[in-house]
Amino acid sequence: MKVFRLILLILHVGILFLLLGTLLNAYVPPKIFPWFNLLSLGFPFLMISYVVLTFFWIFSWKKRAFVFMLLGLFFLNPVKRWINYSSDPKETADLKIVSFNTRGGIMGVEEINKYLGTLGADVILLQENPGDGFDMKGYEKKNNGGGITVLTKYKIISWKIIEPSSGDSRIPGTQTDIEIRGKIYRFINVYLHPFKFEKEMVKLNGNTDADEEKVKNIVGRLIPTFKKHQDQIAVIRDAVENSPYPVILSGDFNSVPNSYEYYHLSEGLEDAFFTVGKGSATSFHDYKFPIRIDYVFSSKSITPISYKVDRSVDISDHYPVIATFSLQK
């Protein structure tokens, strides 16, 4: 039994160090060391394993349980970026936005039109534009021609593409300055470089050689994409930091919470789910494991009121994200 407990202790300490590695994404960019960012993908499974082992020590009446419980507090905020149970705010919402990757409308443009039309959102930010046949009456629309679209019931003051960094042909986002009730706000619609995985590419089938090759291919796609994200984040941050207006930044980051992308895109902004979200923030549902890659962030002067991942519709491989705010602060 002592040998078994020693093995579990070594495993528990190892998991602890891996979890601590995910926190280093706030400081270490992928171009220097991409493996910390890779760890962020496994955060839910690492955290579950850590909690299970902590309970094992509790039920075993081992003093080390208190050490692991205390160290587990470091991961309270990272966990809340995946699963959260916040209290209801007292303020009243006066702005409703939707962020939605529509998968190019391949699951039905008419259904997307109909669904978005029922929401009554003030601003709609789309990634992978639905394409031909997409029309929202009563909204002013801007599209970059590359799949990023903004629609709003309010007056657009200015709109521009956030230029990609040198050597990158993919547009990482757009910025739209919108006048709402006499005040201007900057909406940044983000679509970071996708990994372009298909289900079969990430599904392990028990064949050792084939699975090993798949894992190599997965890592071979992930790490170069992390490095591209670093360049894309740099130009998006310029749009945030140089904004003379309060900012709402949302979209498909193709990155999970606790990643380099999350830490740096959220810098100086407030994660609406972290503040007012309830339940799971999982927004990409094409795979069976939990993935949150869609976000809504805002300046501190904008108060988040509610955040919802709408799982009632299945018209894309992403669920729509609906957030409301109070602009009265």
Side-chain angles (χ1 to χ4, degrees):
M1 191 64 177
K2 287 184 178 180
V3 174
F4 176 69
R5 285 178 175 169
L6 178 60
I7 292 171
L8 288 185
L9 178 60
I10 293 170
L11 177 63
H12 205 171
V13 171
I15 291 171
L16 171 63
F17 276 99
L18 291 176
L19 286 168
L20 290 171
T22 66
L23 303 183
L24 292 176
N25 283 314
Y27 312 102
V28 183
K31 287 186 178 180
I32 292 178
F33 193 77
W35 300 98
F36 291 139
N37 219 24
L38 200 62
L39 280 177
S40 65
L41 296 171
F43 180 86
F45 306 103
L46 291 171
M47 199 67 232
I48 290 170
S49 301
Y50 186 90
V51 171
V52 168
L53 287 170
T54 300
F55 274 110
F56 174 81
W57 300 125
I58 292 172
F59 293 131
S60 299
W61 294 96
K62 295 295 182 181
K63 292 180 181 179
R64 67 192 64 159
F66 296 101
V67 176
F68 284 113
M69 287 170 65
L70 184 63
L71 292 171
L73 295 177
F74 282 105
F75 310 111
L76 183 59
N77 283 346
V79 167
K80 287 178 66 177
R81 297 177 192 135
W82 294 81
I83 301 174
N84 194 17
Y85 292 94
S86 58
S87 57
D88 293 327
K90 296 178 181 179
E91 294 90 341
T92 301
D94 53 15
L95 178 71
K96 183 178 186 179
I97 79 163
V98 175
S99 180
F100 186 26
N101 182 319
T102 64
R103 202 182 185 184
I106 64 173
M107 297 176 74
V109 175
E110 186 177 339
E111 287 78 5
I112 293 171
N113 275 341
K114 196 176 297 183
Y115 169 74
L116 292 175
T118 64
L119 297 179
D122 298 294
V123 180
I124 300 173
L125 303 161
L126 302 179
Q127 306 85 44
E128 293 194 45
N129 179 46
D132 295 339
F134 177 68
D135 180 39
M136 293 286 295
K137 294 180 179 178
Y139 286 85
E140 186 175 354
K141 180 170 104 172
K142 291 288 185 181
N143 175 261
N144 72 332
I148 304 177
T149 299
V150 60
L151 303 104
T152 177
K153 292 180 177 180
Y154 293 96
K155 181 181 179 182
I156 294 177
I157 303 300
S158 67
W159 176 90
K160 65 176 287 190
I161 290 170
I162 297 175
E163 293 294 339
S165 59
S166 178
D168 188 354
S169 60
R170 178 175 287 275
I171 296 167
T174 62
Q175 71 176 48
T176 311
D177 295 338
I178 301 174
E179 184 178 350
I180 302 174
R181 293 185 286 278
K183 188 173 181 180
I184 300 174
Y185 298 86
R186 174 163 294 178
F187 291 80
I188 297 178
N189 192 359
V190 175
Y191 183 38
L192 296 187
H193 198 285
F195 294 103
K196 296 182 179 178
F197 285 128
E198 299 295 336
K199 281 186 181 179
E200 192 55 38
M201 296 168 65
V202 299
K203 184 178 180 181
L204 304 181
N205 54 24
N207 183 313
T208 305
D209 292 335
D211 288 349
E212 184 180 346
E213 191 61 32
K214 281 187 178 183
V215 170
K216 287 180 180 178
N217 289 336
I218 290 169
V219 174
R221 282 174 177 259
L222 289 172
I223 290 178
T225 303
F226 292 154
K227 294 177 180 179
K228 287 181 180 179
H229 286 178
Q230 183 179 334
D231 291 333
Q232 293 181 325
I233 288 166
V235 294
I236 292 168
R237 287 303 310 173
D238 282 343
V240 174
E241 292 165 7
N242 295 321
S243 175
Y245 316 116
V247 170
I248 290 180
L249 182 152
S250 72
D252 177 2
F253 293 5
N254 279 301
S255 309
V256 297
N258 317 318
S259 63
Y260 175 87
E261 293 88 337
Y262 178 94
Y263 280 116
H264 289 267
L265 283 175
S266 66
E267 188 176 347
L269 303 174
E270 191 169 1
D271 180 347
F273 175 76
F274 185 87
T275 306
V276 297
K278 293 179 175 64
S280 169
T282 297
S283 56
F284 182 77
H285 60 88
D286 217 25
Y287 305 149
K288 294 188 182 297
F289 45 90
I291 303 180
R292 179 194 180 193
I293 58 177
D294 300 278
Y295 304 85
V296 181
F297 300 151
S298 62
S299 294
K300 306 292 185 182
S301 60
I302 302 172
T303 305
I305 302 299
S306 68
Y307 184 102
K308 176 186 177 183
V309 180
D310 190 354
R311 298 184 177 87
S312 67
V313 292
D314 190 10
I315 50 179
S316 171
D317 51 355
H318 292 244
Y319 291 123
V321 173
I322 305 168
T324 62
F325 298 88
S326 171
L327 304 179
Q328 302 304 315
K329 183 183 282 189

